[in-house]
Amino acid sequence: MHELSIVANLFEILEEKAKEQKAKKIISVKLKVGALSGVVPEFLETAFDIYKKGTIADKAKLKIEDVPFKIQCQKCQAEMVKDDFVFICDTCGSTDLKTLSGTELLLEKIEMELTS
Amino acid sequence: MKKKEILVLEELLGSNKKIAADIREKLEEKGILAINFLSSPGAGKTSLLERIAERLKPHYKMAVIEGDIETERDAERIRAKGIPAWQIITGGACHLEAKMVGKIFSEIPADLDLLFIENVGNLVCPASYDLGESIRCVILSTPEGDDKPKKYPKAFTTSDCLVINKIDLIPFLPFDLEYARKEALEMNPKLKVFITSALKDSGIDELVEYFLSSLRNLRQ
Ligand SMILES: Nc1nc2c(ncn2[C@@H]2O[C@H](COP(=O)(O)OP(=O)(O)O)[C@@H](O)[C@H]2O)c(=O)[nH]1
Ligand SMILES: [Mg+2]
Ligand SMILES: [Zn+2]
């Protein structure tokens, strides 16, 4: 359960950005979570709801976009989504592949209410 | 009410990544090979380190960082082999983070050859945290079952080497070694696989030779 510690990092960034923008409160937070990011989105949601109490994001909504693990074959150029993380090209069997997405754990955007 | 949406695109583990990159650069500058051991509790990380220590001690300077939720026990086992060891007690945290390693960095002797890091026993959380290691080593013990690679994709896809330990127990278990190897290599074709028994002291020479050849590469 490292999701709590990840959410703690998230709040460090949120507070910093809110200060920069002189925000009154945070309305929503959007994350991108890859299938191979190593975190469980549901645990992130739970941790977020625990952590947000009494902060600038007290009423904020957390939106999570699940990003599939996508690879591209460097031999035949085929692109494919791999839910089982098998690193072998479906088309030609090559193992010379490039990861396109699915390992990310990103804070994409923040929606806030400004002071004035 | 004035609303505003800002685009951030910041990595949530970005601060850990930055500290890890800094540690890696400093270690490589000093010619120290760092190896991060990941496994479930009881897979044999400390036992393997004891065996490795017996082989390296006469010729190389090694040290161990022990990550544990509570006790100092593993560090004591390593010290009993005449090897310096630091215990990081995470106090409940299920993984080591780069900043924890960073804190003891100044105590690490500059003339060290190999620095082993025994992570907290857990195949999920530690996999998300780069500690600045040059080699990540995942250990799977045979009683855990041969289907574990696919269940813990992050640990197996981010590792450089896989040690299948407790091979002495194979006669008593429904563990298919070739299946486990195939499942792991399918996800990570670059994985180097070693088969060991820390108890019977077998397969350790090959593992040690892999670390030493990695050390030579690092220093080239
Ligand atoms: N049969 C067998 N037992 C082992 C082997 N390696 C470790 N063990 C035992 O497994 C238990 C856990 O080992 P330990 O090294 O403390 O695991 P760690 O939690 O990963 O550090 C101990 O009782 C060890 O004696 C092995 O290769 N074969
Ligand atoms: Mg141990
Ligand atoms: Zn292909």
Side-chain angles (χ1 to χ4, degrees):
Chain A
M1 271 291 285
H2 57 309
E3 283 78 1
L4 201 56
S5 119
I6 286 167
V7 166
N9 290 349
L10 168 64
F11 271 82
E12 270 175 33
I13 308 174
L14 290 181
E15 310 226 328
E16 178 194 309
K17 298 289 172 191
K19 211 179 196 175
E20 265 173 35
Q21 302 288 332
K22 298 191 173 54
K24 203 153 70 185
K25 61 179 180 189
I26 291 173
I27 303 166
S28 73
V29 175
K30 163 101 190 294
L31 308 183
K32 280 190 161 190
V33 178
L36 200 52
S37 66
V39 307
V40 182
E42 290 74 21
F43 291 171
L44 275 184
E45 282 164 1
T46 310
F48 186 83
D49 285 336
I50 295 170
Y51 211 97
K52 71 181 183 184
K53 302 225 164 72
T55 73
I56 189 155
D58 205 336
K59 302 244 158 29
K61 211 173 141 255
L62 180 68
K63 300 177 194 165
I64 295 179
E65 179 187 335
D66 295 314
V67 183
F69 181 58
K70 205 169 166 193
I71 54 182
Q72 184 184 37
C73 179
Q74 300 302 287
K75 214 170 136 198
C76 76
Q77 307 307 318
E79 281 182 22
M80 62 214 93
V81 168
K82 288 288 202 169
D83 293 323
D84 56 3
F85 311 116
V86 169
F87 219 65
I88 301 170
C89 176
D90 291 335
T91 312
C92 76
S94 169
T95 55
D96 184 12
L97 303 153
K98 200 172 104 191
T99 302
L100 298 179
S101 73
T103 58
E104 60 270 76
L105 182 55
L106 277 184
L107 166 57
E108 190 189 8
K109 50 194 180 184
I110 314 171
E111 191 189 358
M112 29 200 168
E113 193 186 313
L114 302 183
T115 336
S116 53
Chain B
M1 182 171 86
K2 218 168 121 192
K3 279 192 201 175
K4 184 176 180 185
E5 189 177 77
I6 61 164
L7 191 66
V8 185
L9 294 178
E10 204 165 306
E11 283 191 69
L12 290 183
L13 288 173
S15 60
N16 185 78
K17 233 178 224 179
K18 218 185 281 163
I19 299 170
D22 185 48
I23 291 174
R24 181 174 296 108
E25 196 190 308
K26 283 187 188 146
L27 285 171
E28 289 183 353
E29 219 168 74
K30 293 186 169 129
I32 302 173
L33 184 81
I35 301 138
N36 184 0
F37 271 23
L38 258 55
S39 84
S40 296
K45 296 181 293 301
T46 313
S47 304
L48 285 165
L49 286 171
E50 288 170 321
R51 295 304 195 185
I52 292 166
E54 288 161 6
R55 285 167 174 77
L56 289 179
K57 176 125 203 299
H59 317 286
Y60 295 89
K61 274 193 89 165
M62 73 173 263
V64 178
I65 295 175
E66 287 286 348
D68 238 311
I69 295 183
E70 280 314 332
T71 70
E72 181 92 11
R73 226 166 273 163
D74 283 355
E76 276 157 16
R77 279 170 65 184
I78 298 298
R79 287 180 200 128
K81 295 279 170 194
I83 302 291
W86 295 267
Q87 183 81 48
I88 299 177
I89 294 176
T90 62
C94 50
H95 59 271
L96 288 177
E97 296 191 13
K99 64 177 177 219
M100 302 174 183
V101 175
K103 265 186 202 150
I104 51 173
F105 199 83
S106 60
E107 294 171 39
I108 294 168
D111 61 344
L112 205 63
D113 298 306
L114 300 103
L115 175 66
F116 291 87
I117 306 170
E118 177 176 341
N119 219 309
V120 180
N122 174 341
L123 267 182
V124 183
C125 311
S128 289
Y129 293 85
D130 184 359
L131 301 180
E133 71 267 22
S134 303
I135 292 180
R136 182 174 285 194
C137 187
V138 60
I139 296 141
L140 171 67
S141 64
T142 54
E144 296 169 64
D146 52 20
D147 60 344
K148 287 299 167 292
K150 292 273 160 70
K151 287 192 176 159
Y152 301 101
K154 184 86 179 174
F156 286 85
T157 55
T158 59
S159 286
D160 305 289
C161 97
L162 162 66
V163 176
I164 301 181
N165 189 39
K166 306 198 187 180
I167 201 66
D168 56 289
L169 296 177
I170 277 241
F172 317 104
L173 298 167
F175 187 95
D176 184 337
L177 183 60
E178 284 323 305
Y179 178 78
R181 191 202 299 264
K182 185 185 122 263
E183 289 275 289
L185 285 172
E186 268 182 9
M187 283 195 298
N188 183 353
K190 294 191 186 78
L191 206 57
K192 297 255 187 314
V193 184
F194 299 91
I195 314 292
T196 63
S197 167
L199 182 74
K200 305 277 183 211
D201 204 16
S202 72
I204 314 287
D205 288 337
E206 289 80 357
L207 185 59
V208 166
E209 185 41 46
Y210 165 63
F211 294 144
L212 290 177
S213 76
S214 305
L215 177 66
R216 288 190 290 271
N217 286 339
L218 179 90
R219 289 179 172 176
Q220 255 171 25

